[in-house]
Structures are given as C-alpha cells and as structure tokens.
C-alpha cells in the first residue's frame, strides 16, 4: 500500500535533458567597472567563460573619447564634473535621484576618466580652447621679433637632435603656421588608423584566445590563423609603413638627390647624413652631395643614390594612400619606395592575403564534411537529409563570416577615421568661437568685450561642453560595439538572474 501511495504522489523535480543548456553569465563588478559592464550588456551578454569585452572597454573607451575630444580646457571642465560626482558619491547613493541624475551618478568614474584622457590628448595636440600653449619653449624661431605673414621659421637645432624635439606633444608654433590644418590633418588621420588597426587586431587575437580556451582546434586553425594572416599582410603592414615614414630623415634623402653648387653656402650642410663627396665641376657645374655630376635634365632616379626603384628611387616621401591602393591595383609597382625590395615584399604580402581568403572560406566546411562522412557510415539512412541540411548551413555561415571579416576590415578601418574627423571638428569649432566672439570684440570697448565673452561662454558650454561631449561619447560607443566587439564577441549569452522572492513579489504586484 505504501509503495502504491508513493507512486501516486506528484513529482516536482524536472529532469533536464542533455545536452544541458548554456550556463548563465555573471561578472563581479565594482563601482568603477559597473558602467562599462552595462555598456557591454546593452549590446549583448557574453557567453559563459567567453572573453569579457568590458575589461578592455574600461581602458579604451575613455581613451578613444579623449582622442576625439582632445582639449586641455574643455577636458578640464569634464574632469572636474566627474570629480564633483565622485566627491558627492555617498550623498547621491542615499538620495532618491531622477533617471538622468542617476545615470550621471552611475557613470561618475567614466566621466572622470573621459575628462582625464581629453586633457591628455589636449596636451599631445597642444590645444587649449583652440590655442597652443608654449609650455616648454618652441623649437622654431623667426628671424625677426615681429614676423610677417609668409615668413619661414627655422629650427633651433639640427633635425633628429634632441634639442630640436618639443618635450611633450606638438610644438605650439604649428598653431600659427600657414600649413597648420594640413599638418594636423595628416597627424590625426594617421593616428586614427594606427589606433583602429591596433584595436581591431587585438579583438581578432581575443577570438583566437577564445578558441584556445574552449578547445576549438579546427576554428583556431581554419578561422583565426587566416584572419591574422589577412590582417597582418595588409593592415598591420599599413601601420609599419606609417611608422617607417615618420622615422626616416627625408631632409637628408631629398638633399642627396638635389643638385648643388659646390661653391654655394649650402654645400656641406649638416642636413645630409652621409659624407659629402668632391665635385669636379663637370656637367652643368653642380653635383649631388654624394658626387653625382648633374647634366641639367637628370631624373630623380638618376640623382638618388639609394637605387630602390620607381620614379622616386627612395629619395622622395611617398603618398601612403596611393602606395597602399597600388598593392592591390598595381602589384609589383611602387612609384615611391621607402626601402629596398618593397615591391617584392608587397607582392608576397598580397599573395598571403589572397590565399588566406579562400582558406577562411573553404577550409572549415571541408574538414567538417570529412568528419560528417566518417560518422555517416555508422548512421541510419534517415539521417542523411538532416546531415546535408546541416552542411548547407555551415557553408552559408562560413561564407557570411568570410565576407563580414574581409569587408569589415576595410570598412572598419575607414570607420576609425571618425577619431580624426571629430577631433578636427572640435578644434575648428573652438577656433571659430574664439576668433569670432572674443578676438573680434577685444579691440572695441569693454561693453563689446563683455557681450563677446558672453557669446563665447554660451556657445562653448552649449556646443562643445554639451553637444560635442554627447557626440564623441556615442561615436566611441559605436567603435566598441561594431568595430571592436564583432571581431570576437558572440553576445548571445544568458544573464545570471538569482532566485529572489523579493523580485517575484515585485513582478507579481506590477
């Protein structure tokens, strides 16, 4: 009787079928990391034991914001606002805050970090309310105390010498140079590409770390390695060319291919790094520093001693955009090489990139099909249609993965140029507000200056301290969500929700 009674009792224990469902994901956060973790969770929950993007976002998000918002003065306001929220931290935690104030309180550490990196980037740009600060003394001087427009400044030391280098950031003389915009555009554009490729390549490496941790050998070999090969052969190589162009003494190289009169004062200049040869006065009477006798109609390749090939022969600084485009459009042709064998090196890198794409597309489906064939002999005939359907999904998924990565590397690199664009917009707006509102009224009278300062302060607060902060914030967030996280982040995890009677009662009363 007791046995029958036990069988009749209802059973409330559910048997979970195998394979067991994905475990939920939970990260222990503190006051500093909570905001960044919520950024990531808004996009998607990390998988169980997957690399957590929030750890890297906590460092790179405020830094990329600072790159776009770089200004010592404006960054100081933002930094002080973050410090104010940190000072009132305990008071705000006990108070009942509205939604907007609660959001600012949650991001108090983030705001302080954003302001800090904005000040740091402003020091690098030497930009304070659109004005350059001569903190360490400029390394460029004019010949007269009151230089006129168009006058050329001279360096205080020799090129490459320590005395000719501004200790930190850019020399303030660039803010009054006629080619200021050209110089800052070139500098910030290259900097944006470098940061973007470093961050995307780091995301690709995190994909490989995930594969190693979860024991996905096939994915590591057939996906991660071709991705790294493709990224290194084209995009990391682009960064190498940028640093190489920065490090070469182009003054010396261009001087080596310049015809000079041996009796002129420029002969024997210290700008040339090599040894000055003797000039016999043949040809048209001029020679290059290394001893080539000029005839008057010599090409640059004839006068250059490097013999790197192309029309520049290594003595002319290249246009990097043209050089990179020609890697694919004109293989084997480098018009303005920077080192010996550059054409052959780029052909080899292009071959690696070309091979890595079909490997990424076909290798994984091929090996999975072999695995399916091995299991097919022991399977029933009615499973054949299901296997073919699964194989078709794998091929389609791998094709999407390949197209997304290859095209994404190109489009995402271009997307990082927003770092340059927003930094340019910020500095130009600050310049316009200063010149039109302040400088135009300073020479009038006190009342006009008072009105001008009011306009300057109002536009600075409303546009640069409010709208531009939000704009740079959103663009930095997009760079992390789209350009960085899609290289490794699945974002399909399940958030851990602990059993809570309080939450059940709250949901029931809602």
């Amino acid at each position: 009787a007791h046995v029958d009674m036990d069988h009749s009792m209802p059973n409330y224990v559910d048997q979970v079928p195998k394979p067991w469902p994905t475990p939920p994901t939970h990260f222990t956060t503190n006051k500093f990391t909570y905001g960044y973790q919520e950024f990531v969770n808004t996009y998607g929950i990390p998988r169980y034991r997957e690399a957590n993007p929030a750890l890297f976002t906590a460092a790179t998000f405020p830094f990329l914001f600072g790159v776009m918002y770089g200004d010592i003065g404006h960054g100081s306001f933002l930094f002080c606002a973050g410090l104010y929220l940190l000072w009132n931290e305990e008071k705000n935690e006990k108070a009942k805050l509205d939604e907007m104030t609660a959001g600012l309180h949650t991001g108090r550490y983030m705001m302080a970090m954003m302001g800090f990196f904005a000040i740091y980037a402003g020091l690098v740009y030497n930009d304070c309310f659109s004005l350059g600060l001569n903190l360490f003394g400029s390394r460029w001087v004019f010949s007269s105390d009151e230089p006129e427009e168009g006058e050329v400044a001279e360096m205080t030391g020799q090129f490459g010498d320590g005395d000719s280098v501004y200790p930190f950031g850019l020399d303030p003389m660039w803010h009054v140079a006629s080619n200021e915009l050209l110089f800052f555009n070139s500098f910030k554009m290259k900097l944006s590409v470098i940061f973007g490729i470093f961050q995307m390549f780091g995301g690709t490496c995190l994909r490989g770390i995930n594969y190693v941790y979860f024991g996905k050998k096939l994915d590591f070999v057939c996906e991660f390695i071709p991705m790294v090969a493709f990224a290194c052969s084209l995009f990391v190589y682009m960064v190498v060319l940028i640093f190489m162009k920065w490090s070469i003494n182009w003054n010396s190289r261009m001087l080596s291919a310049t015809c000079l009169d041996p009796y002129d004062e420029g002969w024997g200049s210290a700008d040339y790094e090599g040894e000055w040869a003797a000039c016999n006065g043949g040809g048209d009477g001029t020679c290059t520093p290394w001893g080539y006798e000029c005839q008057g109609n010599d090409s640059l390749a004839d006068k250059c001693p490097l013999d790197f090939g192309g029309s520049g022969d290594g003595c002319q600084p290249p246009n990097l955009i043209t050089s990179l485009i020609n890697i694919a459009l004109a293989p084997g042709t480098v018009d303005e090489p920077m080192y010996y064998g550059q054409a052959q090196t780029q052909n080899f890198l292009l071959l690696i990139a070309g091979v890595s794409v079909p490997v990424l597309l076909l290798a994984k489906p091929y090996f999975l099909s072999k695995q399916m064939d091995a299991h097919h002999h022991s399977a029933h005939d009615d499973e054949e249609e299901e296997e073919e359907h699964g194989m078709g999904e794998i091929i389609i998924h791998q094709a999407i993965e390949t197209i997304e990565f290859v095209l994404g590397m190109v489009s995402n690199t271009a997307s990082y140029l927003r770092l340059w664009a927003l930094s340019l917009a910020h500095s130009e707006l600050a310049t316009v507000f200063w010149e039109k509102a302040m400088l135009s009224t300073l020479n009038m009278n006190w009342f006009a200056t008072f009105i001008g300062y009011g306009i300057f302060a109002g536009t600075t607060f409303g546009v640069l301290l409010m709208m531009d902060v939000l704009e740079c914030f959103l663009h930095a967030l997009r760079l992390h969500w789209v350009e960085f996280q899609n290289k490794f982040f699945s974002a399909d995890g399940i958030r851990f929700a602990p059993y809570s009677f309080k939450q059940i009662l709250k949901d029931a009363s809602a």
Side-chain angles (χ1 to χ4, degrees):
H2 291 287
V3 174
D4 295 337
M5 185 172 62
D6 290 339
H7 282 294
S8 63
M9 293 294 291
N11 187 3
Y12 291 104
V13 179
D14 294 333
Q15 296 296 327
V16 179
K18 293 184 179 181
W20 289 339
T22 304
T25 305
H26 173 72
F27 295 103
T28 302
T29 59
N30 53 34
K31 295 177 181 179
F32 180 81
T33 59
Y34 175 77
Y36 300 106
Q37 187 64 58
E38 287 303 307
F39 270 6
V40 174
N41 293 344
T42 303
Y43 181 83
I45 307 298
R47 286 182 180 178
Y48 183 67
R49 291 182 175 262
E50 182 185 40
N52 183 15
L55 177 65
F56 309 95
T57 302
T60 57
F61 177 83
F63 176 75
L64 292 185
F65 174 88
V67 172
M68 290 183 280
Y69 196 73
D71 188 284
I72 300 172
H74 302 144
S76 299
F77 280 101
L78 189 60
F79 184 61
C80 290
L83 292 181
Y84 175 78
L85 292 173
L86 291 175
W87 180 265
N88 294 283
E89 179 180 325
E90 294 184 1
K91 177 182 176 182
N92 291 333
E93 285 180 350
K94 297 176 182 178
K96 188 175 181 181
L97 305 175
D98 58 84
E99 184 178 358
M100 185 174 181
T101 309
L104 292 175
H105 174 69
T106 302
R108 57 195 182 279
Y109 288 96
M110 187 184 304
M111 187 178 298
M113 290 292 291
M114 287 158 54
F116 171 79
F117 279 109
I119 296 173
Y120 172 78
L123 288 170
V124 173
Y125 302 153
N126 202 343
D127 208 352
C128 180
F129 296 112
S130 77
L131 303 174
L133 301 180
N134 195 7
L135 300 176
F136 307 105
S138 175
R139 270 39 176 185
W140 296 82
V141 293
F142 290 102
S143 56
S144 59
D145 295 335
E146 297 181 0
E148 298 179 356
E149 185 176 354
E151 187 174 339
V152 179
E154 299 293 338
M155 294 182 67
T156 57
Q158 294 295 330
F159 182 87
D161 188 17
D163 295 334
S164 66
V165 180
Y166 196 71
F168 184 82
L170 298 176
D171 197 293
M173 190 65 74
W174 284 110
H175 284 277
V176 297
S178 59
N179 58 341
E180 173 197 3
L181 193 59
L182 182 65
F183 173 79
F184 276 97
N185 279 346
S186 176
F187 172 73
K188 292 180 180 180
M189 181 171 64
K190 292 182 176 68
L191 210 61
S192 301
V193 171
I194 292 171
F195 289 149
I197 291 176
F198 276 169
Q199 188 174 37
M200 289 190 297
F201 188 74
T204 305
C205 291
L206 287 175
R207 176 192 287 258
I209 294 173
N210 281 336
Y211 288 158
V212 172
Y213 181 83
F214 290 110
K216 297 181 178 181
K217 297 181 180 179
L218 182 63
D219 291 338
F220 183 86
V221 174
C222 298
E223 284 191 359
F224 173 68
I225 292 180
M227 286 179 177
V228 169
F230 181 83
C232 289
S233 59
L234 295 179
F235 297 92
V236 176
Y237 177 68
M238 184 195 311
V239 176
V240 173
L241 289 183
I242 291 174
F243 279 107
M244 186 176 291
K245 185 177 179 181
W246 280 345
S247 62
I248 292 174
N249 185 352
W250 292 107
N251 286 343
S252 175
R253 284 199 181 186
M254 289 188 292
L255 184 61
S256 67
T258 303
C259 295
L260 300 172
D261 188 341
Y263 302 103
D264 190 65
E265 61 179 7
W267 187 265
S269 171
D271 291 337
Y272 180 59
E273 293 179 339
E275 294 185 4
W276 287 81
C279 182
N280 298 325
D284 61 359
T286 61
C287 296
T288 62
W290 58 280
Y292 176 81
E293 297 179 355
C294 301
Q295 306 298 324
N297 57 350
D298 311 271
S299 65
L300 182 61
D302 295 331
K303 296 182 290 183
C304 183
L306 299 176
D307 196 24
F308 290 168
S311 63
D313 212 32
C315 290
Q316 183 173 340
N319 186 323
L320 289 182
I321 296 178
T322 303
S323 299
L324 293 167
I325 291 175
N326 286 339
I327 293 178
L329 297 185
T333 302
V334 182
D335 194 42
E336 298 168 342
M338 287 191 289
Y339 60 92
Y340 182 76
Q342 183 172 345
Q344 292 77 9
T345 301
Q346 292 181 176
N347 281 343
F348 178 70
L349 294 175
L350 182 62
L351 178 64
I352 293 177
V355 171
S356 63
V357 174
V359 171
L360 179 60
L361 176 64
L362 302 174
K364 182 178 177 180
Y366 172 76
F367 286 110
L368 287 178
S369 67
K370 290 295 183 182
Q371 293 179 3
M372 289 183 177
D373 290 340
H375 293 291
H376 176 66
H377 298 291
S378 60
H380 297 288
D381 293 337
D382 56 356
E383 295 181 357
E384 182 176 355
E385 182 179 351
E386 181 179 349
E387 290 181 0
E388 291 178 356
H389 179 68
M391 191 60 203
E393 287 184 349
I394 292 173
I395 294 175
I396 294 173
H397 177 270
Q398 195 64 26
I400 295 173
E401 187 83 14
T402 303
I403 295 171
E404 181 181 8
F405 179 79
V406 173
L407 296 183
M409 284 298 296
V410 179
S411 63
N412 294 160
T413 302
S415 184
Y416 274 94
L417 291 177
R418 71 185 67 235
L419 297 174
W420 156 55
L422 268 74
S423 176
L424 174 65
H426 182 94
S427 61
E428 290 302 306
L429 281 173
T431 302
V432 169
F433 294 158
W434 171 259
E435 292 181 351
K436 301 303 179 183
M438 285 298 296
L439 288 184
S440 60
T441 58
L442 283 175
N443 295 326
M444 295 182 182
N445 52 61
W446 68 268
F447 184 74
T449 304
F450 179 77
I451 297 298
Y453 174 76
I455 296 174
F456 171 75
T459 52
T460 298
F461 178 79
V463 178
L464 297 178
L465 295 179
M466 299 295 288
M467 291 174 58
D468 200 38
V469 168
L470 181 60
E471 184 181 17
C472 294
F473 179 91
L474 293 176
H475 280 282
L477 185 61
R478 179 241 149 80
L479 287 176
H480 285 79
W481 276 0
V482 179
E483 276 69 32
F484 173 59
Q485 292 180 182
N486 71 353
K487 297 292 183 290
F488 69 98
F489 189 39
S490 301
D492 57 356
I494 302 171
R495 187 167 191 168
F496 175 70
Y499 188 83
S500 171
F501 287 106
K502 182 179 179 179
Q503 188 64 36
I504 292 174
L505 295 174
K506 182 179 179 180
D507 293 340
S509 61

